[in-house]
Amino acid sequence: MRIDIIATIPELLDSPFQHSILKRASSKGVIDVNVHDLRKYGLGNYNQIDDYQYGGGAGMVLRIEPIFNCIEKLKGQRAYDEVIYMTPDGHTFNQKWANSFSLKKNLIILCGHYKGIDQRIRDHLVTTEISIGDYVLSGGELAAAVLVDAICRLVPGTMNDESSALEDSFQDGLLAPPIYTRPAEFNGWKVPEILLSGHNANIEEWREEMAYQRTKALRPDLLEDE
Ligand code: 6GU
């Protein structure tokens, strides 16, 4: 899988992609993440990427040409499944979106900044608009890092323990059950007896029940959704 991220502050993505799962994924060659600095496609001597809005109003708007040129260049090199625009007014990202994107081959993720981007980019170049929640970030880069992390860990070959992605909260529509490690007792706080029993079938049943109870208590909306 290849992901091309178009960013106005590419430095914001350095740290996330040099660590953890994403680093492992790219060093294994399973996932190839490329960050493109929009300013390299800027106009004139000052590499201008933004401008005042027509009709007045505070805040600068990203211009069409640099984004168009960057996307066209990429599209000239390979076919893309999606051009995703990160924006607070997009579809709210969740595990279903992550699953669906993880099945794609080539993705472009466009990060906005300032007031936003010229609407014509959204109308003609973007295929899907995604938000990571109901709050406003100053740019799309951190949101893109969240998206890429959630997607990458679903691509086979990126996780050490393949089955663990399947056991995540949300993957089956439920929150994950509680987990424990040694010691079996600390400060008088005990690990549930059943986990020490060695009865795998009973343990599995207990985990399913706990996942259900937790979901019912903390996120009843997940049970109503289906
Ligand atoms: Cl994708 N972008 C920005 N700027 N703010 C957000 C967001 C995205 N998702 C939630 N807030």
Side-chain angles (χ1 to χ4, degrees), residues 26-89:
S26 39
S27 67
K28 283 187 184 169
V30 178
I31 290 166
D32 186 10
V33 179
N34 297 269
V35 180
H36 306 275
D37 184 355
L38 187 63
R39 194 154 295 271
K40 294 213 176 106
Y41 297 82
L43 304 168
N45 289 339
Y46 298 99
N47 297 324
Q48 186 193 2
I49 55 172
D50 57 352
D51 216 327
Y52 298 102
Q53 17 178 338
Y54 278 124
M60 304 293 272
V61 178
L62 290 181
R63 293 178 57 130
I64 294 184
E65 303 94 315
I67 293 173
F68 181 83
N69 290 338
C70 184
I71 290 178
E72 281 300 295
K73 186 177 166 191
L74 289 169
K75 283 183 173 172
Q77 293 163 357
R78 67 196 63 77
Y80 284 91
D81 300 294
E82 297 267 5
V83 177
I84 302 165
Y85 173 50
M86 304 307 302
T87 177
D89 55 3

Side-chain angles (χ1 to χ4, degrees), residues 16-28 30-31 148-155 157-160 164-165 168:
F17 294 144
Q18 279 162 27
H19 295 98
S20 106
I21 278 175
L22 298 181
K23 185 177 181 182
R24 204 157 60 226
S26 39
S27 67
K28 283 187 184 169
V30 178
I31 290 166
V148 172
D149 187 308
I151 294 169
C152 284
R153 58 199 304 289
L154 297 171
V155 176
T158 58
M159 304 262 284
N160 280 337
S164 77
D168 288 342

